[in-house]
Structure formats: C-alpha cells, structure tokens
Amino acid sequence: MTLRLTRRAAIGLAFACGLLLGSGHASAEKIVISNWDGYMPADLLANFTKETGIEAEMSVHATNEEIMGKVVAGGGKGYDVLFVSSPFVEALQNLKLIAPLDAGKIPNLANLYPEARTLAYDPGNAHSVPYAWGTTGLCYRSDLVKAAPTSWMDLLKPSADLKGRITMLATDRWLMAAGEKALGYSVNTTDADEIAKTKALLIEAKKNLLAYDDTTFYSKLVSSEAVLVHAWDGWCNYGIAENPAIKFVIPKEGSDMWVDTMVVTAASEHKDAAMAFINYVLRPEVHRWVAENILYKVPNQKAMEGLDPKLIEQYPNIGIAPADLMKEEQLRDLGKAQKDYTRAVTEITSAQ
C-alpha cells in the first residue's frame, strides 16, 4: 500500500505532468484529467490506457478554487475530466461548464451505494459521479490528551493542556464549518449574523492554535508537536498509519459530509473517452484499489465490500456506513455568499 500525502490543499504542486503510457494499443484519443496530487494510484492511468487504448494525461490542481479559476477563465478547454468537491459541481453546472453524463456509457454506476445515487447536490448523478466521500472531525493523540475530545468546543475553547498544541484547517468551507457546527448553525448558512458570530468565535479560537495547517497536520501529531488537529477523516488515517495512538472522532454537534466527484467538461472534445475513464474507475477492483491506496472511503458498494477487513480494523473511519455518513450535513454551493465566507476567513486568518 502506498500512502499519498497530499490532497485538496497541497501547496505549489499545480504542474502538469504528461504520462508516457506504453501499451499494445494505438492511442486513438487522449484525455486530460485534473485531480489533486496523489489522489489516485500512480499507475491507474497507465492501466486504463493499456486496457482501452485511450491515452490519458494528468494535470494536478492544489485546490478546488484553483481548478475552478482555470476552468472559468478558459471555458473548460483543455480538460476532459475534473475532480472537484460537490459544491463546485453545482457551481460548474450553474455556469454550464460541465456536460450531462450519459448513464448508458457508464454502466458501472450500478456499483454505487444507493445513497451515492441520491446526493442532494446532484440527484441521479446527472452531472457528476462521486469518487470518494467522508466527513471532517477531530484527529488526536489518545496517549497525550487528558480526555478524549468529543465536541468542536474542545478544539475552539480548549483546556489548558491543549493550548498551543492544536491545528485547524484553513480552507474556507472547513474552517467555517467547525465554528458553525459548534454554534449550532448549518455549514451552508448564508445568514450574515451567523457568519459574523462564527467569525468572532474562530478569531477567539486562533489565540490557542499552534497553526492553520491543511497539509502536514498529521505529521505534527506523529511528532507530538500537536496533540489535537482539525482533519478530514481520510487524512487522519495517514497519521494512524504511523502511530496507532492517533484516533478520529466526529464531534457530538455533527459535522459536514464532503463528496469528491468526477465530472466531464462541457468543452471536452472526447466525451465518450472521458465517460469510459469514469466507468473504468467505478469497476469494483479499480475503485477498491483506490480506497486501499488513498485510505479514504469510496462510494462504490462492490468495491467497499471487497476491502480487506483488516484495513477497516486499522482505520475505523473507513468503515463508517453510508447511512451514518448521510446523517452529516452535505456541503452545498453558497452562490454569492461564497464571497462572504472568503472575506470572513481572510479576516480570521489575518487577525492578530
């Protein structure tokens, strides 16, 4: 198993790396895929080409915002398949920058959990296919904290022994979500008063932080520089892989449910090949291989049923059932209110 150590907010890795994909097939087509770095097995594209003869090139984006900016600026030209989180599916759809999917060309949609076919942002998978899903919570050193955390307030108003040994995610939606859930608000609130109160709570919480950290927080746990971090469930697993005393918990107030998806751009000149790629990923053995490689849950029922039980024993959050995951609040597109979130997060992270 290869651990992939960057996702969502990896810094400075937005480069394109063409893959030379030898195979016995003549490459009739070539598709360009943009994904987070290390968010699929390294040789997945090569295997896809060997089987289909379709050449595939990987372009890496660091954040949803980065690929969104590129696609909006260029009308999506130059890309065939994008990996983006669910709120960005809605935004791209509203801008008519992604294509409707042809279910007849993606028969492996049948392998998805029923819950993955009815997600609120795209019921029926009309424009997107879920690739990985999960939630956000607290990742901590069970051997170094006096009491296991159970609440977002353990992160935001910590006990004396935790102060200065905590990190939080700085990505807009997830930073705000921690404060919103702590205050009993929706993670999709657009209410100005609730946004202001969330901002105030998070500015106060900043005084007790070691750092905002979207990329190396698990390493800080392993080294014990931090003992409690705000984390995506799958990424907490990277810490657990190095120290089994690291645990993950969803706070009692609840959390968000995030979904990372695959979409086909409206500008793609190779839509059939793009859908063939998505169909390939959804094959049980391929999607299972993805889960084993990136240590995140995948929404593919047949793939998950084929996982080695020892993997779930080692990383319990991989075993969160879809029905339980659906109890968390799905992140949705905020529309014009996204600017309010961006402004609030800028003020939080720059506050003295």
Side-chain angles (χ1 to χ4, degrees):
M1 180 182 301
T2 301
L3 293 182
R4 302 298 175 187
L5 305 183
T6 54
R7 178 178 180 268
R8 293 179 183 275
I11 305 300
L13 291 176
F15 62 92
C17 52
L19 298 178
L20 297 176
L21 303 170
S23 78
H25 299 269
S27 293
E29 291 185 276
K30 177 180 178 180
I31 58 173
V32 177
I33 300 163
S34 190
N35 194 356
W36 292 278
D37 185 52
Y39 206 35
M40 64 169 60
D43 42 1
L44 187 148
L45 296 189
N47 289 346
F48 168 68
T49 298
K50 288 177 184 175
E51 179 167 312
T52 65
I54 301 169
E55 191 175 348
E57 177 182 305
M58 177 66 75
S59 175
V60 175
H61 57 258
T63 64
N64 282 303
E65 291 79 3
E66 178 188 311
I67 187 60
M68 187 77 180
K70 290 181 178 178
V71 170
V72 170
K77 293 181 179 178
Y79 296 104
D80 299 289
V81 177
L82 307 175
F83 284 68
V84 293
S85 298
S86 52
F88 294 84
V89 173
E90 291 183 286
L92 288 166
Q93 183 182 347
N94 290 337
L95 293 169
K96 302 188 184 307
L97 290 171
I98 54 176
L101 299 181
D102 185 341
K105 295 174 181 173
I106 314 176
N108 285 331
L109 283 169
N111 296 330
L112 293 173
Y113 285 107
E115 291 88 343
R117 305 297 302 273
T118 58
L119 294 163
Y121 64 88
D122 186 25
N125 309 111
H127 290 85
S128 66
V129 174
Y131 172 75
W133 59 4
T135 187
T136 313
L138 305 177
C139 186
Y140 64 99
R141 282 285 297 264
S142 62
D143 56 334
L144 297 180
V145 297
K146 290 183 179 178
T150 59
S151 166
W152 286 112
M153 286 302 183
D154 292 324
L155 183 82
L156 302 175
K157 293 186 176 182
S159 55
D161 60 305
L162 299 179
K163 291 182 178 179
R165 305 180 75 186
I166 295 171
T167 72
M168 289 191 71
L169 301 173
T171 308
D172 288 6
R173 297 301 302 273
W174 286 281
L175 176 57
M176 291 294 287
E180 289 163 343
K181 280 299 180 186
L183 293 171
Y185 304 150
S186 165
V187 297
N188 299 307
T189 184
T190 57
D191 182 274
D193 184 59
E194 292 183 353
I195 292 172
K197 289 178 179 176
T198 300
K199 182 181 73 174
L201 174 63
L202 293 172
I203 288 176
E204 186 67 21
K206 185 180 179 182
K207 298 174 182 176
N208 297 312
L209 295 183
L210 169 67
Y212 291 112
D213 189 341
D214 287 11
T215 56
T216 63
F217 51 83
Y218 79 92
S219 297
K220 289 183 172 68
L221 277 182
V222 172
S223 70
S224 70
E225 183 181 7
V227 295
L228 172 63
V229 301
H230 178 201
W232 297 295
D233 46 3
W235 215 325
C236 187
N237 291 336
Y238 301 152
I240 295 172
E242 297 189 37
N243 187 332
I246 294 174
K247 308 293 184 186
F248 177 82
V249 64
I250 302 172
K252 63 184 180 183
E253 298 91 345
S255 187
D256 69 289
M257 175 186 172
W258 56 261
V259 185
D260 291 337
T261 74
M262 299 178 284
V263 299
V264 176
T265 62
S268 170
E269 297 178 354
H270 310 287
K271 290 186 176 65
D272 284 354
M275 292 184 203
F277 171 77
I278 292 173
N279 193 54
Y280 177 79
V281 172
L282 291 180
R283 282 167 44 169
E285 67 275 18
V286 175
H287 222 170
R288 183 183 69 236
W289 179 37
V290 168
E292 292 170 349
N293 190 275
I294 66 173
L295 297 183
Y296 277 81
K297 293 176 285 298
V298 298
N300 187 316
Q301 184 168 5
K302 289 187 177 179
M304 292 296 289
E305 288 174 350
L307 280 183
D308 185 340
K310 291 182 179 177
L311 193 73
I312 298 175
E313 185 177 326
Q314 183 175 3
Y315 308 104
N317 67 62
I318 291 180
I320 297 174
D324 290 331
L325 195 58
M326 296 289 283
K327 295 176 183 175
E328 310 304 335
E329 192 178 10
Q330 294 182 42
L331 288 171
R332 303 294 302 274
D333 179 40
L334 299 172
K336 294 180 179 178
Q338 178 59 50
K339 291 183 179 178
D340 299 331
Y341 274 53
T342 300
R343 187 182 308 112
V345 169
T346 298
E347 293 175 3
I348 293 164
T349 55
S350 62
Q352 299 300 313

PDB file of all heavy atoms in Angstrom, residues 178-195:
ATOM      1  N   ALA A 178     -16.368  24.272  11.200  1.00  0.00           N
ATOM      2  CA  ALA A 178     -16.078  23.936  12.603  1.00  0.00           C
ATOM      3  C   ALA A 178     -16.785  24.906  13.545  1.00  0.00           C
ATOM      4  O   ALA A 178     -17.403  24.498  14.538  1.00  0.00           O
ATOM      5  CB  ALA A 178     -14.567  23.965  12.833  1.00  0.00           C
ATOM      6  N   GLY A 179     -16.699  26.197  13.230  1.00  0.00           N
ATOM      7  CA  GLY A 179     -17.369  27.189  14.072  1.00  0.00           C
ATOM      8  C   GLY A 179     -18.877  27.133  13.954  1.00  0.00           C
ATOM      9  O   GLY A 179     -19.605  27.293  14.949  1.00  0.00           O
ATOM     10  N   GLU A 180     -19.346  26.905  12.735  1.00  0.00           N
ATOM     11  CA  GLU A 180     -20.795  26.850  12.526  1.00  0.00           C
ATOM     12  C   GLU A 180     -21.422  25.690  13.296  1.00  0.00           C
ATOM     13  O   GLU A 180     -22.455  25.846  13.949  1.00  0.00           O
ATOM     14  CB  GLU A 180     -21.079  26.741  11.026  1.00  0.00           C
ATOM     15  CG  GLU A 180     -20.778  28.030  10.279  1.00  0.00           C
ATOM     16  CD  GLU A 180     -20.655  27.845   8.772  1.00  0.00           C
ATOM     17  OE1 GLU A 180     -20.488  26.694   8.314  1.00  0.00           O
ATOM     18  OE2 GLU A 180     -20.697  28.857   8.062  1.00  0.00           O
ATOM     19  N   LYS A 181     -20.807  24.521  13.214  1.00  0.00           N
ATOM     20  CA  LYS A 181     -21.365  23.375  13.934  1.00  0.00           C
ATOM     21  C   LYS A 181     -21.288  23.590  15.439  1.00  0.00           C
ATOM     22  O   LYS A 181     -22.196  23.200  16.186  1.00  0.00           O
ATOM     23  CB  LYS A 181     -20.622  22.102  13.526  1.00  0.00           C
ATOM     24  CG  LYS A 181     -21.095  21.520  12.195  1.00  0.00           C
ATOM     25  CD  LYS A 181     -22.566  21.148  12.274  1.00  0.00           C
ATOM     26  CE  LYS A 181     -23.106  20.558  11.001  1.00  0.00           C
ATOM     27  NZ  LYS A 181     -24.569  20.344  11.069  1.00  0.00           N
ATOM     28  N   ALA A 182     -20.195  24.207  15.909  1.00  0.00           N
ATOM     29  CA  ALA A 182     -20.060  24.463  17.345  1.00  0.00           C
ATOM     30  C   ALA A 182     -21.183  25.367  17.852  1.00  0.00           C
ATOM     31  O   ALA A 182     -21.638  25.238  18.988  1.00  0.00           O
ATOM     32  CB  ALA A 182     -18.704  25.096  17.628  1.00  0.00           C
ATOM     33  N   LEU A 183     -21.632  26.278  16.995  1.00  0.00           N
ATOM     34  CA  LEU A 183     -22.680  27.227  17.385  1.00  0.00           C
ATOM     35  C   LEU A 183     -24.077  26.751  17.005  1.00  0.00           C
ATOM     36  O   LEU A 183     -25.061  27.460  17.216  1.00  0.00           O
ATOM     37  CB  LEU A 183     -22.402  28.586  16.718  1.00  0.00           C
ATOM     38  CG  LEU A 183     -21.133  29.300  17.214  1.00  0.00           C
ATOM     39  CD1 LEU A 183     -20.836  30.518  16.350  1.00  0.00           C
ATOM     40  CD2 LEU A 183     -21.277  29.706  18.673  1.00  0.00           C
ATOM     41  N   GLY A 184     -24.174  25.568  16.415  1.00  0.00           N
ATOM     42  CA  GLY A 184     -25.483  25.020  16.059  1.00  0.00           C
ATOM     43  C   GLY A 184     -26.028  25.523  14.746  1.00  0.00           C
ATOM     44  O   GLY A 184     -27.221  25.394  14.481  1.00  0.00           O
ATOM     45  N   TYR A 185     -25.182  26.080  13.901  1.00  0.00           N
ATOM     46  CA  TYR A 185     -25.622  26.599  12.610  1.00  0.00           C
ATOM     47  C   TYR A 185     -25.393  25.553  11.506  1.00  0.00           C
ATOM     48  O   TYR A 185     -24.623  24.607  11.659  1.00  0.00           O
ATOM     49  CB  TYR A 185     -24.839  27.858  12.229  1.00  0.00           C
ATOM     50  CG  TYR A 185     -24.888  28.990  13.227  1.00  0.00           C
ATOM     51  CD1 TYR A 185     -23.810  29.865  13.347  1.00  0.00           C
ATOM     52  CD2 TYR A 185     -26.008  29.189  14.043  1.00  0.00           C
ATOM     53  CE1 TYR A 185     -23.844  30.921  14.253  1.00  0.00           C
ATOM     54  CE2 TYR A 185     -26.046  30.241  14.954  1.00  0.00           C
ATOM     55  CZ  TYR A 185     -24.950  31.099  15.051  1.00  0.00           C
ATOM     56  OH  TYR A 185     -24.984  32.139  15.946  1.00  0.00           O
ATOM     57  N   SER A 186     -26.022  25.815  10.376  1.00  0.00           N
ATOM     58  CA  SER A 186     -25.776  24.988   9.195  1.00  0.00           C
ATOM     59  C   SER A 186     -24.405  25.305   8.613  1.00  0.00           C
ATOM     60  O   SER A 186     -23.948  26.458   8.641  1.00  0.00           O
ATOM     61  CB  SER A 186     -26.852  25.278   8.138  1.00  0.00           C
ATOM     62  OG  SER A 186     -26.460  24.768   6.875  1.00  0.00           O
ATOM     63  N   VAL A 187     -23.760  24.281   8.041  1.00  0.00           N
ATOM     64  CA  VAL A 187     -22.480  24.526   7.354  1.00  0.00           C
ATOM     65  C   VAL A 187     -22.710  25.252   6.029  1.00  0.00           C
ATOM     66  O   VAL A 187     -21.752  25.653   5.366  1.00  0.00           O
ATOM     67  CB  VAL A 187     -21.706  23.221   7.086  1.00  0.00           C
ATOM     68  CG1 VAL A 187     -21.329  22.556   8.385  1.00  0.00           C
ATOM     69  CG2 VAL A 187     -22.501  22.279   6.183  1.00  0.00           C
ATOM     70  N   ASN A 188     -23.979  25.426   5.666  1.00  0.00           N
ATOM     71  CA  ASN A 188     -24.309  26.134   4.430  1.00  0.00           C
ATOM     72  C   ASN A 188     -25.027  27.459   4.708  1.00  0.00           C
ATOM     73  O   ASN A 188     -25.646  28.028   3.805  1.00  0.00           O
ATOM     74  CB  ASN A 188     -25.201  25.255   3.544  1.00  0.00           C
ATOM     75  CG  ASN A 188     -24.524  23.958   3.144  1.00  0.00           C
ATOM     76  OD1 ASN A 188     -23.417  23.980   2.626  1.00  0.00           O
ATOM     77  ND2 ASN A 188     -25.182  22.839   3.397  1.00  0.00           N
ATOM     78  N   THR A 189     -24.932  27.939   5.945  1.00  0.00           N
ATOM     79  CA  THR A 189     -25.661  29.163   6.268  1.00  0.00           C
ATOM     80  C   THR A 189     -25.185  30.336   5.409  1.00  0.00           C
ATOM     81  O   THR A 189     -23.994  30.460   5.110  1.00  0.00           O
ATOM     82  CB  THR A 189     -25.512  29.525   7.762  1.00  0.00           C
ATOM     83  OG1 THR A 189     -26.339  30.678   8.023  1.00  0.00           O
ATOM     84  CG2 THR A 189     -24.076  29.854   8.130  1.00  0.00           C
ATOM     85  N   THR A 190     -26.130  31.158   5.028  1.00  0.00           N
ATOM     86  CA  THR A 190     -25.789  32.399   4.335  1.00  0.00           C
ATOM     87  C   THR A 190     -26.276  33.595   5.156  1.00  0.00           C
ATOM     88  O   THR A 190     -26.272  34.723   4.663  1.00  0.00           O
ATOM     89  CB  THR A 190     -26.425  32.435   2.933  1.00  0.00           C
ATOM     90  OG1 THR A 190     -27.848  32.288   3.054  1.00  0.00           O
ATOM     91  CG2 THR A 190     -25.882  31.322   2.049  1.00  0.00           C
ATOM     92  N   ASP A 191     -26.695  33.332   6.387  1.00  0.00           N
ATOM     93  CA  ASP A 191     -27.190  34.388   7.271  1.00  0.00           C
ATOM     94  C   ASP A 191     -26.009  35.246   7.737  1.00  0.00           C
ATOM     95  O   ASP A 191     -25.044  34.743   8.315  1.00  0.00           O
ATOM     96  CB  ASP A 191     -27.896  33.749   8.470  1.00  0.00           C
ATOM     97  CG  ASP A 191     -28.468  34.784   9.413  1.00  0.00           C
ATOM     98  OD1 ASP A 191     -27.721  35.256  10.308  1.00  0.00           O
ATOM     99  OD2 ASP A 191     -29.645  35.128   9.244  1.00  0.00           O
ATOM    100  N   ALA A 192     -26.113  36.551   7.527  1.00  0.00           N
ATOM    101  CA  ALA A 192     -24.994  37.447   7.830  1.00  0.00           C
ATOM    102  C   ALA A 192     -24.655  37.442   9.316  1.00  0.00           C
ATOM    103  O   ALA A 192     -23.475  37.489   9.697  1.00  0.00           O
ATOM    104  CB  ALA A 192     -25.337  38.858   7.364  1.00  0.00           C
ATOM    105  N   ASP A 193     -25.668  37.390  10.177  1.00  0.00           N
ATOM    106  CA  ASP A 193     -25.429  37.404  11.622  1.00  0.00           C
ATOM    107  C   ASP A 193     -24.714  36.125  12.059  1.00  0.00           C
ATOM    108  O   ASP A 193     -23.788  36.174  12.882  1.00  0.00           O
ATOM    109  CB  ASP A 193     -26.759  37.555  12.363  1.00  0.00           C
ATOM    110  CG  ASP A 193     -26.558  37.666  13.866  1.00  0.00           C
ATOM    111  OD1 ASP A 193     -25.853  38.598  14.309  1.00  0.00           O
ATOM    112  OD2 ASP A 193     -27.104  36.820  14.602  1.00  0.00           O
ATOM    113  N   GLU A 194     -25.126  34.981  11.502  1.00  0.00           N
ATOM    114  CA  GLU A 194     -24.478  33.713  11.866  1.00  0.00           C
ATOM    115  C   GLU A 194     -23.035  33.666  11.350  1.00  0.00           C
ATOM    116  O   GLU A 194     -22.142  33.145  12.030  1.00  0.00           O
ATOM    117  CB  GLU A 194     -25.294  32.544  11.314  1.00  0.00           C
ATOM    118  CG  GLU A 194     -26.652  32.385  11.998  1.00  0.00           C
ATOM    119  CD  GLU A 194     -27.459  31.187  11.516  1.00  0.00           C
ATOM    120  OE1 GLU A 194     -27.036  30.524  10.542  1.00  0.00           O
ATOM    121  OE2 GLU A 194     -28.516  30.919  12.114  1.00  0.00           O
ATOM    122  N   ILE A 195     -22.819  34.202  10.179  1.00  0.00           N
ATOM    123  CA  ILE A 195     -21.451  34.250   9.651  1.00  0.00           C
ATOM    124  C   ILE A 195     -20.576  35.141  10.548  1.00  0.00           C
ATOM    125  O   ILE A 195     -19.432  34.806  10.867  1.00  0.00           O
ATOM    126  CB  ILE A 195     -21.454  34.762   8.196  1.00  0.00           C
ATOM    127  CG1 ILE A 195     -22.120  33.731   7.279  1.00  0.00           C
ATOM    128  CG2 ILE A 195     -20.025  35.055   7.714  1.00  0.00           C
ATOM    129  CD1 ILE A 195     -22.342  34.215   5.849  1.00  0.00           C
TER     130      ILE A 195
END
